[in-house]
Amino acid sequence: MIHRHPWIAALLLVALCGPTALIATEDVPAHQCDRLAADPVDYERVAPSVDDLRFWPKQAMVACREAVAMSPDVPRLRFQLGRALLALGNVDEARAALQDAADAGYAAADLYLGRMFESGSYGERNVEKAFEHYRLAAEHGHQDAQIGIGLMYRNGVGVEADTWQAFNWFKKAADQGNPHAHFFVGTMYSGGEHTPPGERPVADHTMAVRHFEIAAEAGIPGGQFALGLMYLTGLSVEKNTKKGLKLMESAAEQGFVVASLELGKRYLRGEDLPQDRQRAIHWYCKAGAAGRNIFQNTYGESLDCAGRF
């Protein structure tokens, strides 16, 4: 949870904006809106989170409208109303509710707005606006936003590419214990992208292993793939084919396509794994259309995956 000092925020906002300003307070007790619409990405929620599979937006919208009417100065409730409205396709009203919460400094609302602008799936796509919303949420300590802004810096989306900035934003999220961030930090160490400006990039695979281990232990498929590959090849760790294969297979079974493709290639060529055409075909098929296309383009053969999955 992101800890705030709500009474300070309240005094400042009332002084600056008058008595109708939203206040970021945790003193308002949990409402039915919280119980129905608390979001997993909202680290300031006051009730257990409700993931998308258990989320009933119509009921949440009714409860959150009532909650906002009762406590119009609480941005958490407006954020949750925005979530419900967005799920119901009421994009304009959802954006207004999210913006109200974001204007009050509610980090999860800025995260939502950033994702909306980045994807363009709810109307306007504007990566510059996405970056600005991610930045605001990230500066409030929101881990997911810190990852989002790190990716934008790394890929040069909405901002000039800057791997040093990307590394530091990933590191901020990792320092809060975010396992996805540990994966990204690991990739930066592995690629030498952690070095400050002006210094020669040098990979640090030892540090990469440490971060991949944390991500892999948390079940992050990217971390499992990266660590598994290091064990298969013996890069900065003692080579352990059995352990590497287990990690790679776990990532592939979770739908991490790169892991499936890597397993297919290594089984087919006998690289660090025993040559086994049938297992290779299994993993290429597991990769779906990407696996079939790569197999055909690389080996000149069509791949029949019917009935395999």
Side-chain angles (χ1 to χ4, degrees):
M1 170 174 280
I2 303 169
H3 296 288
R4 295 172 179 247
H5 298 288
W7 57 275
I8 295 177
L11 288 174
L12 288 173
L13 283 165
V14 169
L16 292 171
C17 307
T20 60
L22 295 181
I23 57 173
T25 176
E26 297 172 354
D27 295 334
V28 177
H31 184 279
Q32 183 69 355
C33 171
D34 294 297
R35 290 182 279 273
L36 291 173
D39 197 303
V41 304
D42 181 8
Y43 302 118
E44 298 175 89
R45 61 182 181 266
V46 297
S49 64
V50 181
D51 61 33
D52 289 341
L53 294 176
R54 298 180 296 116
F55 184 48
W56 296 91
K58 286 187 178 180
Q59 291 90 326
M61 179 191 69
V62 171
C64 291
R65 284 196 191 282
E66 177 186 329
V68 168
M70 291 172 58
S71 303
D73 56 348
V74 181
R76 182 188 80 243
L77 301 175
R78 289 183 183 262
F79 163 70
Q80 289 167 172
L81 174 60
R83 180 193 182 191
L85 291 166
L86 195 62
L88 292 169
N90 297 351
V91 177
D92 290 340
E93 193 177 356
R95 277 180 60 174
L98 292 170
Q99 189 63 60
D100 283 344
D103 288 343
Y106 204 74
D110 271 310
L111 175 72
Y112 256 62
L113 290 166
R115 288 178 173 175
M116 290 173 71
F117 281 119
E118 184 179 17
S119 68
S121 52
Y122 297 100
E124 177 188 5
R125 184 173 191 267
N126 187 317
V127 291
E128 287 78 16
K129 286 184 178 180
F131 178 84
E132 183 61 20
H133 282 292
Y134 284 144
R135 183 188 65 79
L136 290 168
E139 288 176 351
H140 279 93
H142 198 291
Q143 302 165 24
D144 300 70
Q146 290 168 343
I147 293 173
I149 201 172
L151 288 170
M152 296 187 87
Y153 268 120
R154 188 178 190 182
N155 299 323
V157 177
V159 67
E160 186 176 350
D162 187 329
T163 55
W164 177 244
Q165 285 279 6
F167 172 74
N168 281 286
W169 281 112
F170 290 145
K171 188 71 164 51
K172 287 178 186 292
D175 288 344
Q176 294 188 70
N178 189 294
H180 295 279
H182 279 288
F183 165 65
F184 289 118
V185 171
T187 64
M188 302 293 278
Y189 274 118
S190 184
E193 297 171 296
H194 64 291
T195 50
E199 294 187 12
R200 184 173 65 88
V202 178
D204 188 338
H205 296 299
T206 300
M207 286 298 295
V209 168
R210 294 181 188 177
H211 288 278
F212 288 148
E213 284 177 337
I214 295 171
E217 187 175 345
I220 306 303
Q224 293 175 336
F225 164 74
L227 186 61
L229 190 58
M230 296 179 96
Y231 274 111
L232 279 181
T233 60
L235 180 62
S236 291
V237 294
E238 184 176 351
K239 188 170 182 176
N240 188 324
T241 302
K242 183 177 180 180
K243 189 171 185 177
L245 182 59
K246 183 178 179 180
L247 286 162
M248 293 274 281
E249 288 181 343
S250 178
E253 291 294 349
Q254 291 184 71
F256 198 72
V257 172
V258 176
S260 297
L261 294 172
E262 189 69 25
L263 286 167
K265 180 191 74 174
R266 289 181 178 275
Y267 270 122
L268 198 63
R269 298 178 180 178
E271 295 179 10
D272 300 306
L273 291 173
Q275 194 168 24
D276 189 324
R277 181 179 173 83
Q278 288 306 308
R279 287 192 178 187
I281 290 174
H282 168 87
W283 290 113
Y284 273 116
C285 286
K286 180 71 175 177
R292 294 193 299 274
N293 291 337
I294 288 176
F295 189 87
Q296 183 164 6
N297 292 335
T298 304
Y299 306 107
E301 300 178 49
S302 60
L303 202 57
D304 182 11
C305 297
R308 284 186 175 268
F309 296 99

